[in-house]
Amino acid sequence: MSAVEANYDGLVGPTHNYGGLSFGNLASTRNQGEVSQPKSAALQGLKKMKWLADAGLVQGVLPPHERPFLPLLRDAGFCGSDREVFENAWKIAPNLARASLSAAPMWAANAATVSPSSDTQNGRLHFTAANLSTMLHRSIEGAQTSRALQRAFPCLGHFDIHQPLPAHADFADEGAANHVRLCDTHAAPGVELFVYGRDADHHLSYPARQTLLSGQAIARSHLLDPARTVMAKQSKVAIEAGAFHNDVVCVGTRNCLFFHEHAFDDKPRVLSDITKAATGLFEPVFLEVPESEIPIAEAITSYLFNSMLVQWPGEARLVLIAPAECQETPSVLRYCQKLVAGNGPIGRVEFIDVRQSMRNGGGPACLRLRVVLTQAELAACNQKMLITPSLFNSLEKWVHKHYRDELAPVDLSDPALLDESRQALDALTGILGLGDDFYPFQR
Ligand code: SUG
């Protein structure tokens, strides 16, 4: 049976902004309070989706979450009409109000961990929505993400969608950003690598946002074969340099793992565990970038490893879809030129502009959730959430109609945002076939 690797991208929401909400994510801190451009951010994301769909890849879309998210403010004791809740939160607890407006659900790589059906003992495709419990502004995503996954993958016979892990620090989980699957072909059984920053309770100066306990819990509920599953610890050096997720220093697809020298804590053990787990399935190719060629600080500012590594239709070697910022870092640009000139696993590098997302610490890879789908599973997905020329046109029109060109920090407390954003999302539920009870405000 054949299978494809689909990309589901998070659609940038109407209140996209730079809240400075993510301690340990250098771009988020650095760009706090900048004027954002929601319309161009959403169009940048849609352009990326269309480009990949036009190339023949399966491209899905995940809807933005409701922002501002009043249930957070009501849970914090604000009451009255929606407008009163929003205005009082801005007066009394502006940090909470800012969290309720977070742009973060757009980064679909943090939506869930996904195990293809060829890896699981019951032959179903498993998802665990991430609890994102480390950061307040992200801890409000899990329930809505589960709902979106249920709408995107509605057929129970094919898909097992697990609820987020318990919302405790020991179970901190940030989804596919800390998970890599290696394989021979997408349809074949693979090796799943769960990367964590701490066992359960150890703290560094920047937070380690994924625990070993979470990886073990997900591997168990996805019914993975322990012999084909590897747990790898992120290095302290990487976290302290600003790699708040493993996908800031590592990306992999098919049999190729592309990573920075400092990505893992005990690198020889991690690589030998992967090789052992792959025995009889495929020969892993380890493409390691040494610190001497790209210092970790430059790997992180350029976001080289937050590229998408894609098997492009009709091409033998893999394509690396890198952020445009990589061209501005000489060591990284040099490395990319060398990469394609050689005869290694990556044959082409494409640079794309997702600058609005990059300013919040999200590169091309953050914007997508990879889902390996057999032909039967693809047929069982919600077809209205797959990008076609007609869906692209509808979404582009929808963005032009509902999104502001700019949002400055002072605009964030404008109560008009409540209605604007709700009208936009209400219209979106029709376009994507999500039903009229999809968002909390609709219920
Ligand atoms: O969780 N930024 C996100 C970026 C996530 C990137 N995802 C991956 N690496 N897969 C985060 O730190 C910033 C929001 C703000 O500051 O307004 C933010 O949440």
Side-chain angles (χ1 to χ4, degrees):
M1 198 190 318
S2 67
V4 292
E5 185 178 74
N7 293 298
Y8 277 76
D9 279 40
L11 187 54
V12 175
T15 60
H16 166 68
N17 73 94
Y18 301 115
L21 302 171
S22 256
F23 177 61
N25 166 346
L26 305 182
S28 158
T29 305
R30 200 175 296 130
N31 296 309
Q32 171 170 20
E34 279 206 9
V35 176
S36 66
Q37 296 174 322
K39 188 178 281 177
S40 69
L43 295 175
Q44 279 169 6
L46 278 171
K47 194 170 160 199
K48 164 171 160 341
M49 293 186 228
K50 174 148 195 316
W51 176 53
L52 293 173
D54 285 349
L57 293 158
V58 177
Q59 177 69 55
V61 59
L62 291 172
H65 292 197
E66 175 179 333
R67 297 287 178 271
F69 188 61
L70 294 199
L72 173 70
L73 306 179
R74 290 192 184 276
D75 284 350
F78 291 99
C79 55
S81 67
D82 286 352
R83 195 184 166 116
E84 282 164 347
V85 166
F86 188 61
E87 286 180 340
N88 286 333
W90 270 108
K91 272 187 220 136
I92 296 162
N95 286 343
L96 211 50
R98 226 168 265 124
S100 82
L101 274 157
S102 140
M106 65 196 268
W107 295 296
N110 302 118
T113 304
V114 187
S115 296
S117 51
S118 51
D119 292 356
T120 67
Q121 279 164 30
N122 67 353
R124 295 202 196 132
L125 172 54
H126 286 244
F127 298 83
T128 296
N131 62 22
L132 294 156
S133 63
T134 304
M135 299 283 162
L136 174 68
H137 70 288
R138 304 219 60 179
S139 66
I140 55 179
E141 293 175 31
Q144 187 65 22
T145 297
S146 299
R147 221 175 163 77
L149 293 173
Q150 279 154 7
R151 297 296 154 95
F153 306 100
C155 178
L156 293 178
H158 286 293
F159 310 118
D160 276 354
I161 299 174
H162 304 271
Q163 290 303 312
L165 294 173
H168 181 271
D170 284 5
F171 277 111
D173 172 30
E174 307 255 333
N178 295 314
H179 176 252
V180 181
R181 177 175 186 263
L182 301 174
C183 56
D184 178 13
T185 62
H186 291 310
V191 168
E192 299 201 18
L193 177 67
F194 291 80
V195 185
Y196 60 96
R198 60 189 165 90
D199 291 352
D201 54 4
H202 173 70
H203 291 279
L204 303 162
S205 54
Y206 282 155
R209 289 159 65 168
Q210 186 86 28
T211 67
L212 173 60
L213 190 63
S214 304
Q216 290 166 330
I218 294 171
R220 261 190 302 275
S221 52
H222 287 201
L223 306 174
L224 299 182
D225 177 353
R228 303 289 187 201
T229 306
V230 175
M231 299 289 154
K233 189 164 186 183
Q234 243 193 312
S235 83
K236 199 171 153 188
V237 177
I239 296 175
E240 300 286 281
F244 56 96
H245 291 140
N246 175 61
D247 70 1
V248 174
V249 283
C250 167
V251 58
T253 198
R254 299 282 306 269
N255 64 347
C256 172
L257 190 71
F258 179 46
F259 59 99
H260 190 272
E261 178 182 346
H262 292 316
F264 303 110
D265 186 35
D266 181 354
K267 188 184 58 189
R269 188 195 64 79
V270 172
L271 302 188
S272 100
D273 283 359
I274 295 173
T275 306
K276 203 162 132 217
T279 306
L281 296 181
F282 60 93
E283 194 74 49
V285 173
F286 297 124
L287 188 53
E288 176 178 345
V289 179
E291 172 77 19
S292 58
E293 283 192 58
I294 304 182
I296 188 146
E298 292 178 18
I300 289 174
T301 44
S302 67
Y303 252 43
L304 171 66
F305 294 95
N306 205 258
S307 299
M308 295 171 66
L309 194 52
V310 172
Q311 184 189 346
W312 199 270
E315 287 189 35
R317 295 203 289 165
L318 298 169
V319 176
L320 190 76
I321 302 172
E325 284 78 353
C326 287
Q327 291 172 291
E328 291 147 24
T329 308
S331 61
V332 174
L333 185 60
R334 248 191 332 268
Y335 183 86
C336 290
Q337 286 160 345
K338 193 179 104 182
L339 198 61
V340 295
N343 57 0
I346 299 178
R348 185 155 67 93
V349 180
E350 288 280 347
F351 297 100
I352 59 163
D353 178 4
V354 287
R355 283 180 202 273
Q356 285 288 314
S357 171
M358 283 286 284
R359 286 194 196 149
N360 253 338
C366 294
L367 286 161
R368 59 91 176 99
L369 180 68
R370 289 186 283 181
V371 184
V372 169
L373 295 164
T374 63
Q375 294 308 320
E377 289 161 351
L378 180 57
C381 292
N382 178 350
Q383 305 296 307
K384 287 192 159 180
M385 293 172 78
L386 296 177
I387 294 285
T388 57
S390 127
L391 178 58
F392 173 79
N393 287 339
S394 307
L395 290 175
E396 204 179 38
K397 266 196 213 122
W398 172 80
V399 169
H400 279 292
K401 175 163 179 203
H402 292 283
Y403 282 49
R404 294 194 190 190
D405 289 321
E406 287 194 344
L407 270 179
V410 289
D411 301 328
L412 294 178
S413 54
D414 178 359
L417 277 181
L418 257 174
D419 290 340
E420 275 176 35
S421 157
R422 287 177 176 186
Q423 274 166 18
L425 297 181
D426 202 39
L428 184 68
T429 54
I431 300 175
L432 295 179
L434 299 169
D436 56 10
D437 62 346
F438 182 67
Y439 288 109
F441 75 87
Q442 295 175 309
R443 300 197 280 275

